[in-house]
Amino acid sequence: MNYNIAVLDGDGIGPEICAGAIKVLNKVGEKFGHNFAFEHLDIGGCSIDKHGTPLTDYTVQRCLASDSVLLGAVGGYKWDNMPGDTRPEKGLLKIRKAMGLYSNIRPAKLWKSLANASPLKYDLVKNGIEIIIVRELIGGIYFGERDKGVDENGVEYAWDTEKYSVPEIERITKIACEMAQKRSKRLVSVDKANVLESSRLWRKTVHEYAAKNFPEIEVVDVLVDNMAMQIVKNPAQFDVVVTSNIFGDILSDEAAQVTGSIGMLASSSLGDSKCGLYEPIHGSAPDIAGKNIANPIATILAAAMMLRDSFDLNEEYNAIESAIQKVLDKNYRTGDIAEDGAIIVGCNEMAELIAAEI
Ligand code: IPM
Ligand code: MN
């Protein structure tokens, strides 16, 4: 089969980690008889520098015409002081919106060989952790109305709004329920219903939708502050978690760290079609860009998720996952997941080692 993949390398370590994922995909193609064609497109800071905007219509069109999109990361010091609407991050938000990717799945899993990389006590992680965070991705405060100004007394102000509609909550609840159905049949919904009106609608809608369409799923509500605490107190208690855009952003970084390193976590973003966007959950790490020390595993896993979730290539997904496991078992590590006695390798070498195990 032929697959056309749009690659949005982005900024910072983006190009290095995408190169790693492409290396692994090419090896998968060779082994399983697929042809992956890659089209590199601009997004983020590099797009600002070349085209004066973080996302061009051309990039959007090509992404929509592709079979799926692989993205590295966007942003960097150079563009940090730009106004909100022209920042590199805006490019990422716009492509998510333009492709209608409302469902963002972030599996935070503790790899057996990385138990020592978790900052938590061994006792808390020894039985493994796998939290699937289902984050609403194109609504809420990220996309709500906002403004800033100066009032009549010369005081500067700014505001953003968190707004959700019932259909927006229902469609993400559906994705989370389908996931929970295949797993533990337990769903945790995270909100701040003791304070926010939008969260009260969220809570009511999640319960009504789940009760009507997935009666066998048990839905438990957890307030976001308590959730932040529970993730470090006892992460093994969670399976599928559904939450809003901003809470999902914050909690997924926390869950990532608890499972060892943010350099290990991938995410898939999908809407109603099979054409999705796959990216690591970490950022562009401008401090280590170009040094060949970044961890490419999250991006390689993102590419694997693309094969599974957009192209239905389950065997190929498993091949990548077990190749990563083998390389970790052989004690190879990038700096972020280094431990005593490990063999430290660079970004490029890590990708080569994984490709070699396919
Ligand atoms: C993420 C990132 C993005 C987000 C930024 C870069 C816009 O932090 O994917 O988690 O906040 O969604
Ligand atoms: Mn984030």
Side-chain angles (χ1 to χ4, degrees):
M1 273 287 279
N2 289 321
Y3 298 95
N4 294 316
I5 300 175
V7 182
L8 306 177
D9 298 271
D11 311 311
I13 58 171
E16 304 164 49
I17 54 181
C18 284
I22 288 173
K23 193 167 293 190
V24 173
L25 283 173
N26 279 331
K27 188 66 187 291
V28 168
E30 239 172 72
K31 282 269 159 171
F32 291 83
H34 307 299
N35 180 43
F36 299 112
F38 302 100
E39 181 181 11
H40 293 265
L41 299 159
D42 298 321
I43 193 170
C46 63
S47 177
I48 295 175
D49 290 352
K50 274 202 227 165
H51 315 287
T53 166
L55 186 71
T56 60
D57 292 343
Y58 179 75
T59 292
V60 173
Q61 275 170 29
R62 297 305 303 154
C63 286
L64 287 171
S66 74
D67 291 318
S68 247
V69 183
L70 180 71
L71 183 137
V74 295
Y77 309 128
K78 186 173 169 192
W79 309 280
D80 266 353
N81 294 316
M82 300 191 63
D85 241 26
T86 55
R87 291 176 62 95
E89 289 79 2
K90 192 72 188 185
L92 179 53
L93 299 180
K94 277 189 167 163
I95 190 75
R96 288 173 178 168
K97 189 77 162 183
M99 295 177 69
L101 310 173
Y102 59 82
S103 156
N104 181 225
I105 312 272
R106 302 189 158 193
K109 147 176 168 172
L110 183 79
W111 294 72
K112 266 187 263 100
S113 28
L114 290 185
N116 287 325
S118 172
L120 298 184
K121 286 193 199 117
Y122 182 69
D123 233 25
L124 288 176
V125 303
K126 64 170 191 265
N127 294 327
I129 303 173
E130 192 167 6
I131 309 177
I132 314 277
I133 296 182
V134 181
R135 170 190 178 193
E136 197 293 323
L137 200 60
I138 53 173
I141 201 164
Y142 272 61
F143 293 90
E145 254 186 84
R146 71 192 55 178
D147 204 1
K148 58 183 180 177
V150 181
D151 73 9
E152 59 279 11
N153 301 316
V155 178
E156 222 182 324
Y157 64 83
W159 51 270
D160 302 90
T161 39
E162 172 86 346
K163 183 174 174 183
Y164 272 110
S165 67
V166 168
E168 282 178 301
I169 303 168
E170 283 182 344
R171 65 184 181 181
I172 192 69
T173 304
K174 175 170 186 272
I175 303 286
C177 285
E178 284 167 356
M179 188 74 77
Q181 182 88 341
K182 283 189 266 170
R183 298 171 55 94
S184 64
K185 299 197 165 53
R186 277 185 303 117
L187 176 64
V188 165
S189 170
V190 177
D191 62 38
K192 187 68 186 172
N194 53 349
V195 177
L196 303 178
E197 207 54 65
S198 52
S199 277
R200 288 190 273 273
L201 182 69
W202 179 279
R203 188 175 284 208
K204 173 171 151 291
T205 307
V206 169
H207 278 276
E208 283 177 4
Y209 184 88
K212 185 165 168 226
N213 300 286
F214 295 85
E216 57 285 32
I217 291 181
E218 179 202 7
V219 181
V220 176
D221 304 300
V222 180
L223 292 170
V224 65
D225 47 350
N226 184 22
M227 186 68 185
M229 182 175 73
Q230 295 297 332
I231 288 178
V232 286
K233 197 176 165 201
N234 179 14
Q237 68 182 294
F238 297 110
D239 184 38
V240 182
V241 174
V242 66
T243 192
S244 64
N245 203 343
I246 188 146
F247 294 160
D249 176 48
I250 299 166
L251 295 174
S252 59
D253 270 30
E254 190 191 8
Q257 190 52 57
V258 160
T259 54
S261 164
I262 194 159
M264 298 292 297
L265 250 76
S267 86
S268 79
S269 305
L270 283 160
D272 288 326
S273 90
K274 279 276 185 187
C275 177
L277 184 146
Y278 297 81
E279 55 175 320
I281 78 151
H282 61 68
S284 58
D287 52 323
I288 61 164
K291 295 187 178 161
N292 189 33
I293 56 174
N295 184 350
I297 296 181
T299 317
I300 292 171
L301 274 170
M305 287 176 88
M306 175 191 294
L307 301 185
R308 185 189 62 190
D309 300 343
S310 280
F311 306 158
D312 294 319
L313 301 175
N314 289 311
E315 218 185 307
E316 290 79 343
Y317 171 88
N318 291 335
I320 297 179
E321 201 182 43
S322 54
I324 294 171
Q325 188 62 63
K326 279 185 201 143
V327 171
L328 294 175
D329 286 346
K330 289 184 179 169
N331 241 348
Y332 291 108
R333 300 283 189 276
T334 44
D336 57 316
I337 46 174
E339 4 176 343
D340 286 351
I343 311 159
I344 307 296
V345 295
C347 179
N348 187 36
E349 292 71 38
M350 181 53 97
E352 262 162 16
L353 286 162
I354 293 168
E357 295 288 350
I358 303 274

